[in-house]
Amino acid sequence: MKLRKLLFLFLTLSFVLPSLAVSDKDMEQAKVIAAKLYLRWTNNGSGYLDEVSASSMADLETKLKDQEKENLKAFKSVNIPSDYATWDKERFVQFWGTTFFTSPALSADGKRAKDRVKAKVKTLNVTAPTAAPTPAEQPKAEEAAKEATPAGEPKPEDGGISIPEPGEVVHDAEAAVADSMQMIQAEEQSLAFPERPKAKSHTWIYVVILIVLVILVVWLMVYAANMMKKQGKGGNGPQGDYPSKKELAAAEKEIVALRKEVATLEKANQRLREENEKLKSQASTATTPRQRAAEPAPRAQATPHREAAETPQPKVINEIFLGRANPKGLFVRGDRRPNPDHSVFRLNTKDGIVGTFRFLETPEAFAVATSNPLHFLAGGCICENFEDAESATRIITENPGTAILENGCWKVLRKSKIRFE
């Protein structure tokens, strides 16, 4: 009876112990994961799925937009094997991470999600519901136990003691009982359950995957923050067309040059005001004709004032043709007419003190300038493509420069901006 109980216990435990298989819940959870990632990669406008949480396919479908519902038809058309309850963890991951995405019904973009599906399915714990032996299986277990009893051993129903055949002499009953007990103990030891090997833990793999994902998310957040900062500072980006750093630097230089020009013009204006005040003071102190009649003065003394008052002012030249500007900003030559060998700029002025100048667009000036661009143009011009001078056919003035007359020489206040074309 004891041997029978041991066999029955062994068969019962073999049915009760859970086996590593895939349950319906595991399959449904993996299907939801694969569907979300497939739809996310199929349509670029499905970013809202990152915030969607669903416990089943039916729950997921209620949260989808029209485009994703249409794309889900191809996903649901893929046949899923019905024998998944016999799968182990490795086959379960292989199906959802590789086999499922070989279906020609799926879109090419959606298939690119298979690696992420595989990584997420690996994190699932695959378990199966426990099952107990049915009553119909118990008699079969007893029959197997009877058949497993070898001939010559004590039968279970005999209490573990062999019954001698008729005519057989029992020399020592106690020795027979002792032998029977030893046989039962041997059977018990042979049927003892061996210690089941411990399953290898793969937790470290999941920890490594989690760390990699966290690092990736942090990097993406930092990258997005840097992009937003660049866009906020006015860099070129998808939100708008902003000036580049190079253009901003050029604009700042131009602002500084304009400020210097304004300061110089203010000085010139102040000088003109002082001269005007002197002329007014001289005019106020000068004697009028009635005063001169009342107080006669020598005729020789009044004559110089009359001659000074009647002296004509020099005529202002409104157009001057200038040569190159030296490193100090002084134009080394000025002519009333273009000089084919020297003139490269044309200056226009209204008062003969301040004027604007631009490149002289004549074939002679172009030939002189392109023979040595840096020598003839760099002193009075700003140009971003001097290296194109050899292949250029013309020189265009984008912004005229400003010059002022100092000590009989025209001096650059602000350089002109040119471009070779």
Side-chain angles (χ1 to χ4, degrees):
M1 292 298 292
K2 192 173 184 179
L3 182 61
R4 181 187 298 177
K5 290 180 180 179
L6 291 174
L7 289 174
F8 178 76
L9 180 61
F10 176 78
L11 294 174
T12 302
L13 291 175
S14 66
F15 283 102
V16 171
L17 289 175
S19 60
L20 186 62
V22 179
S23 65
D24 294 341
K25 182 179 179 181
D26 297 332
M27 204 67 177
E28 183 71 10
Q29 192 174 1
K31 193 173 183 180
V32 171
I33 292 173
K36 279 183 62 178
L37 291 173
Y38 170 78
L39 297 174
R40 182 68 179 87
W41 282 75
T42 302
N43 180 19
N44 290 333
S46 60
Y48 69 93
L49 286 175
D50 297 338
E51 307 297 331
V52 171
S53 176
S55 58
S56 63
M57 287 297 295
D59 186 20
L60 178 63
E61 290 189 46
T62 60
K63 300 176 181 179
L64 297 179
K65 295 183 179 180
D66 294 340
Q67 181 63 44
E68 278 61 57
K69 289 181 179 179
E70 184 67 24
N71 296 335
L72 189 63
K73 294 180 181 178
F75 180 88
K76 295 172 69 175
S77 67
V78 180
N79 185 29
I80 298 177
S82 59
D83 62 340
Y84 56 82
T86 63
W87 294 357
D88 57 4
K89 178 67 174 292
E90 183 177 357
R91 187 174 177 186
F92 177 63
V93 175
Q94 179 68 20
F95 173 77
W96 286 110
T98 304
T99 308
F100 180 84
F101 288 94
T102 59
S103 174
L106 301 178
S107 68
D109 291 334
K111 290 181 178 180
R112 292 163 56 191
K114 64 179 182 179
D115 292 336
R116 296 200 176 189
V117 174
K118 190 172 185 179
K120 283 186 174 291
V121 173
K122 278 185 178 180
T123 62
L124 298 179
N125 294 323
V126 176
T127 57
T130 59
T134 61
E137 293 175 346
Q138 296 179 1
K140 294 181 181 180
E142 295 178 0
E143 292 176 3
K146 291 179 181 180
E147 293 176 358
T149 306
E153 292 185 358
K155 296 181 181 180
E157 59 269 14
D158 294 333
I161 302 174
S162 60
I163 305 298
E165 296 294 332
E168 182 179 358
V169 180
V170 178
H171 299 285
D172 191 353
E174 293 180 358
V177 172
D179 293 341
S180 298
M181 292 301 295
Q182 290 177 359
M183 293 176 64
I184 291 174
Q185 292 176 359
E187 289 292 338
E188 290 178 353
Q189 293 177 358
S190 64
L191 293 176
F193 295 106
E195 185 179 356
R196 298 180 68 182
K198 295 182 179 180
K200 294 182 179 180
S201 175
H202 298 284
T203 306
W204 67 272
I205 297 178
Y206 305 140
V207 172
V208 171
I209 294 174
L210 181 61
I211 292 174
V212 172
L213 291 176
V214 169
I215 293 174
L216 180 61
V217 169
V218 172
W219 180 83
L220 290 174
M221 292 176 65
V222 173
Y223 178 77
N226 291 334
M227 290 296 295
M228 293 177 66
K229 287 181 180 178
K230 289 181 180 179
Q231 293 173 6
K233 291 180 180 179
N236 290 329
Q239 302 298 329
D241 188 10
Y242 298 98
S244 64
K245 292 183 178 179
K246 188 175 181 181
E247 292 175 344
L248 290 174
E252 289 179 358
K253 290 182 180 179
E254 187 171 354
I255 290 172
V256 171
L258 288 173
R259 288 177 178 174
K260 291 181 179 179
E261 181 180 353
V262 169
T264 305
L265 291 174
E266 287 179 351
K267 290 181 180 179
N269 189 24
Q270 183 64 27
R271 188 171 65 250
L272 292 175
R273 287 179 180 177
E274 291 175 355
E275 292 178 357
N276 189 27
E277 291 295 332
K278 289 180 181 180
L279 293 175
K280 286 183 178 179
S281 62
Q282 292 176 1
S284 62
T285 57
T287 55
T288 62
R290 291 183 180 180
Q291 290 174 340
R292 289 197 301 270
E295 299 178 1
R299 191 171 183 180
Q301 295 179 358
T303 303
H305 292 284
R306 189 181 299 111
E307 290 178 355
E310 294 176 357
T311 301
Q313 295 293 330
K315 184 178 180 181
V316 176
I317 301 174
N318 301 115
E319 188 176 55
I320 301 173
F321 298 91
L322 303 173
R324 69 179 184 87
N326 62 19
K328 294 183 179 181
L330 298 175
F331 290 98
V332 298
R333 188 183 181 95
D335 298 286
R336 294 187 178 184
R337 294 182 180 81
N339 188 313
D341 298 327
H342 299 283
S343 299
V344 290
F345 297 105
R346 184 180 73 249
L347 182 140
N348 295 98
T349 178
K350 294 182 179 179
D351 56 6
I353 297 176
V354 178
T356 58
F357 64 92
R358 58 175 58 244
F359 179 75
L360 179 60
E361 296 182 1
T362 62
E364 293 81 7
F366 179 79
V368 171
T370 54
S371 64
N372 192 342
L374 292 176
H375 177 71
F376 286 98
L377 299 176
C381 300
I382 298 174
C383 182
E384 297 180 356
N385 62 338
F386 272 116
E387 65 276 5
D388 298 335
E390 294 183 1
S391 60
T393 58
R394 57 182 298 197
I395 299 174
I396 298 175
T397 301
E398 295 183 343
N399 291 320
T402 307
I404 188 171
L405 185 64
E406 286 187 357
N407 300 323
C409 295
W410 286 97
K411 183 179 180 180
V412 176
L413 285 178
R414 181 173 59 90
K415 293 184 178 182
S416 65
K417 187 176 181 180
I418 64 172
R419 171 172 52 89
F420 286 94
E421 187 177 80

